[in-house]
Amino acid sequence: MARRTIIHIDLDAFFVSVEQVLNPELKGKPVVVGGRPDRRGVVATASYEARSFGLHSGMPLVTAARLCPEAIFIEGNFARYREFSQKFMAILNDLSPFIEPMGVDEAYMDVTGFESLHGSIRQMAVAMKQRIQNELGICASVGIASCKVVAKVASDLSKPDGLIEVAVGKERDFLVPLPVDRLPGVGKQAMKVMKSLGIHTIGELSRVPSLTLKSRFGTAGETMLRFANGIDDSKVLPPGEAKSISRETTFGEDTRDRVFLKAILWTQSEKVGADLREKGKQARCVTLKVRYADFTTISRSRTVQENVGTDQSIFEIGAKLLEQALAVEMQAVRLIGIGVSNLVEPSQQATLFTPSARKLETLNKTIDRIRNRYGFGAIQTGRAIKLKDIQTQ
Ligand code: DCP
Ligand code: CA
């Protein structure tokens, strides 16, 4: 494979950094986004000042308040984070078209050959950090290496406001002394196995026989071994044509009202269904997403044998998944979303020839036409009619 240069860039304490831009009084203080400490829930992110008290993402808020009583606790505002995330990605897009966004605040960039434009890749990275600081007011950390995994480990290690460049040929030397949990893919579960094998550093992992890792981790073990040796051939993949269609809604107030949740789900299913028909596709997988009051987010998918194409079928699967999710979780809901993926060409299924299925499809298409002309609100259907009452209560 030809030599490549990869950048991994990741914003520091992202949610907290946005809050600090919106309210500069929070700068330099221990700040936690995730909710109030008297509520059940976990830390979404903590400022570096708060981290010095041992606070971290995923820690229960009560524990956080006990470890750092002076911390300032904030609910969080996803709409603003999304806005900052989009601006961040736009800046990266300006600098290179070869970007693979990973979540809201990080991305890989293939910058092979870009040194001629900026003097060096390091200078390019410095300019990028500066631009993000000037335009968003947020610090970013950057790793530069010949492959994705090493670039990622480098940017993580450089935090906060850091920049580490790993020279070509020095990938192994760079990784060898680091604790093994610095390696992407080595989480809590994997760490238990690492301990039982006496592995503490990435260097130690890199010397374990492939078969041993394969027997403990399956194919993931092979990937771990390659990563530990600084080998990662995976490409930077710019997002292609949408492979899924989805809609989500964040509520002004958390809710436990199932009728309301289903009414929202119905409206979302109609929009997803309309997009699907506009693309001329059907789907084989429906996914429900739920974010609870404490920011915990779950997604539940159902893959189906027969293509899904009508609003009703999307909704029915989503509603079942919702019932199952609510049966095991007692918390109020702050966001709900539904999506379809595994998009396929519409099939001439036998079921479509039953009179009721044909009627449903014709009805969906007629409503699509009216809405295309007069807007989505032109027709209120099914459960969404209830929604109107509920929202005005
Ligand atoms: N996040 C969350 N729950 C988690 C982890 C993260 O809600 N368990 C959110 C909040 C973070 C954002 O995602 O601000 C980005 O996650 P990162 O893992 O990149 O963490 P941060 O950006 O907060 O900190 P870092 O400076 O370590 O990147
Ligand atoms: Ca981050």
Side-chain angles (χ1 to χ4, degrees), residues 128 144 189 198 220 287 325 359:
M128 192 151 69
I144 307 170
Q189 289 306 317
T287 302
K359 221 166 106 186

Side-chain angles (χ1 to χ4, degrees), residues 10-17 33 42-48 51 56-59 78 81 104-106 139 141 152 156 159-161 291 294-297:
D10 186 315
L11 301 177
D12 297 338
F14 179 48
F15 292 0
V16 164
S17 301
V33 171
V42 296
V43 174
T45 195
S47 67
Y48 279 80
R51 288 183 204 192
H56 57 78
S57 300
M59 173 183 274
F78 270 88
Y81 307 151
V104 281
D105 76 331
E106 62 174 290
C139 288
S141 294
K152 160 96 176 144
D156 284 352
K159 278 178 173 296
D161 196 15
R291 178 169 294 136
D294 73 351
F295 280 83
T296 316
T297 309

